[in-house]
Amino acid sequence: MTDDYRKTMTMSPFSRLAVVQATSVAGDVFLNVALVGSIFFVLDVNQARPKVLLYLVCTMLPFVLLSPLIGPALDRSRGGRRLVMAACAIGRAICLFTLSFYIDASGPASYLLFPLAFGALMFSKGHSIAKSSLVPAVVKGHQTFVKANSRLAIISVMSGFVAAVPAIILFNFPGAQWALRVGALVFVACGLLAFRIP
């Protein structure tokens, strides 16, 4: 096998980051479909309002809590960004798989839904922070940096659309539990792929 052939077959650092980002977004879609379909749409409007408000708080709070902590830690460690992305993916896989046993629970067990969902969202924000700090490391130059962020945004949207179809099918037929379990498998793949980022 020639060196030129190896170069054409080897993925660039940015391509590897893009694959991890696409996989992460796909896993988030499975989580969101399961949560929104199971918790919010089955309630009447008056019951759903406090839960929707709590969900919105849960999506904002992780970013507020994690940004000041993760940023400096990532700057001090050479391989920390890749490790954080892998750890966040595995953490979300664990949260989703555990959540699959409680998504239809009632009574005291139902109170575990929001801590588990909150944990998954915390790991998701951690991934976003690590991804943003990794982009300058895998591209060179200001113009390339802007272009890379634009491409990642497009890849995220496309991955979300593609993942929405199987997520909705799983939610409607086997049930929310299986949407979460498949989402957990997607996050396991995401964690393994994160280790391939140079």
Side-chain angles (χ1 to χ4, degrees):
M1 201 183 297
T2 64
D3 291 338
D4 290 337
Y5 180 75
R6 283 197 187 96
K7 287 178 182 177
T8 57
M9 293 303 292
T10 302
M11 293 177 69
S12 67
F14 175 77
S15 298
R16 295 184 182 191
L17 175 62
V19 170
V20 172
Q21 175 63 12
T23 312
S24 175
V25 170
D28 282 334
V29 168
F30 281 92
L31 171 63
N32 291 329
V33 167
L35 287 180
V36 171
S38 298
I39 298 173
F40 303 136
F41 290 164
V42 296
L43 302 174
D44 63 45
V45 174
N46 292 326
Q47 287 179 313
R49 278 178 188 149
K51 292 184 181 288
V52 171
L53 180 61
L54 183 59
Y55 183 78
L56 292 174
V57 170
C58 285
T59 57
M60 295 298 294
L61 194 59
F63 191 78
V64 174
L65 293 175
L66 289 179
S67 294
L69 300 175
I70 291 182
L74 292 177
D75 292 336
R76 287 194 296 269
S77 59
R78 182 172 176 82
R81 296 175 181 91
R82 181 179 64 176
L83 184 60
V84 166
M85 290 188 86
C88 287
I90 299 302
R92 282 183 285 176
I94 293 169
C95 286
L96 264 66
F97 185 73
T98 309
L99 188 60
S100 70
F101 294 100
Y102 297 103
I103 193 72
D104 291 330
S106 58
S110 65
Y111 291 104
L112 290 170
L113 287 173
F114 284 100
L116 289 167
F118 181 74
L121 292 169
M122 287 278 283
F123 285 123
S124 179
K125 295 304 178 185
H127 167 90
S128 297
I129 296 167
K131 183 261 299 179
S132 298
S133 65
L134 252 176
V135 174
V138 297
V139 297
K140 294 179 181 179
H142 176 68
Q143 290 295 328
T144 310
F145 175 71
V146 173
K147 194 174 182 180
N149 276 318
S150 300
R151 284 182 177 174
L152 284 176
I154 293 169
I155 288 167
S156 297
V157 171
M158 291 174 63
S159 177
F161 275 117
V162 170
V165 175
I168 292 170
I169 291 171
L170 284 169
F171 175 80
N172 284 319
F173 293 103
Q177 302 96 326
W178 285 102
L180 289 168
R181 287 165 190 164
V182 172
L185 291 175
V186 172
F187 282 128
V188 169
C190 180
L192 296 175
L193 289 167
F195 284 111
R196 300 186 63 209
I197 301 171

